[in-house]
Amino acid sequence: MTANWSAFVTAEPEFARLVEARFGAFTHHVLATLRKDGSPRTSGLEVRFLNGELWLGMMPDSLKALDLRRDPRFALQANPGEGQTMGGGDVRIAGRALEVDDPAQKAGYGEEVEPPEPFHLFRAELTEVVRTYVEDEKYLVVQVWKPGGQVRVIKRT
């Protein structure tokens, strides 16, 4: 089961706001895709939250774009920032990236973001959103959301 960003916001607005703020704190994040042989590839990436969607824009024929065309599964990790503070926690999103070929959608994205032309554009369908953080310098807290469910919270000492 998957859900777009808007469905996540509707289901868990506070959690979604925290996740979006975490991605908004820095420009570059880490995207994991799968190579032809199934091994992982990590790449830097900028992401955008626009019009109820999480967008992944890429240079033409970049390896990450070719990976996603072949196998749409991805994992995306928010930039943790400098040092060991991880302000706001460690945030990860997993899902499927669906390439957008519709000229009107790409033009709308292009007007907002002004990416170098040409570019690949993918819309994220989420399968999981995870936030990990330390609470009271005592607990490791893991929040997990999957489409169709509520946020599950796990606390460890």
Side-chain angles (χ1 to χ4, degrees), residues 6 21 23 32 45 47 49 55 68 81 84 88 90 100 113 117 119-120 124 135 157:
S6 180
F23 276 96
L45 181 76
V47 301
F49 299 90
W55 300 100
L68 290 172
Q84 298 179 11
D90 177 43
V100 174
V113 179
E117 296 276 350
F119 64 95
H120 292 286
E135 182 179 279
T157 56

Side-chain angles (χ1 to χ4, degrees), residues 118-147:
F119 64 95
H120 292 286
L121 182 61
F122 293 86
R123 184 177 60 77
E125 284 288 318
L126 316 178
T127 56
E128 181 179 69
V129 180
V130 179
R131 177 178 176 238
T132 305
Y133 63 97
V134 176
E135 182 179 279
D136 299 330
E137 297 183 22
K138 181 178 180 181
Y139 300 103
L140 178 67
V141 181
V142 181
Q143 295 173 288
V144 180
W145 177 82
K146 293 184 179 185

Side-chain angles (χ1 to χ4, degrees), residues 49-140:
F49 299 90
L50 297 170
N51 304 319
E53 301 289 356
L54 169 55
W55 300 100
L56 314 173
M58 299 167 203
M59 292 173 52
D61 298 324
S62 64
L63 293 176
K64 58 191 162 194
L66 298 177
D67 287 347
L68 290 172
R69 279 181 162 177
R70 188 175 43 260
D71 186 329
R73 293 176 293 170
F74 73 89
L76 178 65
Q77 182 160 3
N79 185 326
E82 295 183 28
Q84 298 179 11
T85 61
M86 286 187 28
D90 177 43
V91 173
R92 299 177 308 279
I93 297 172
R96 301 175 82 70
L98 306 175
E99 188 162 17
V100 174
D101 291 321
D102 177 59
Q105 275 192 312
K106 282 187 84 169
Y109 175 86
E111 287 172 14
E112 286 282 336
V113 179
E114 299 179 2
E117 296 276 350
F119 64 95
H120 292 286
L121 182 61
F122 293 86
R123 184 177 60 77
E125 284 288 318
L126 316 178
T127 56
E128 181 179 69
V129 180
V130 179
R131 177 178 176 238
T132 305
Y133 63 97
V134 176
E135 182 179 279
D136 299 330
E137 297 183 22
K138 181 178 180 181
Y139 300 103
L140 178 67

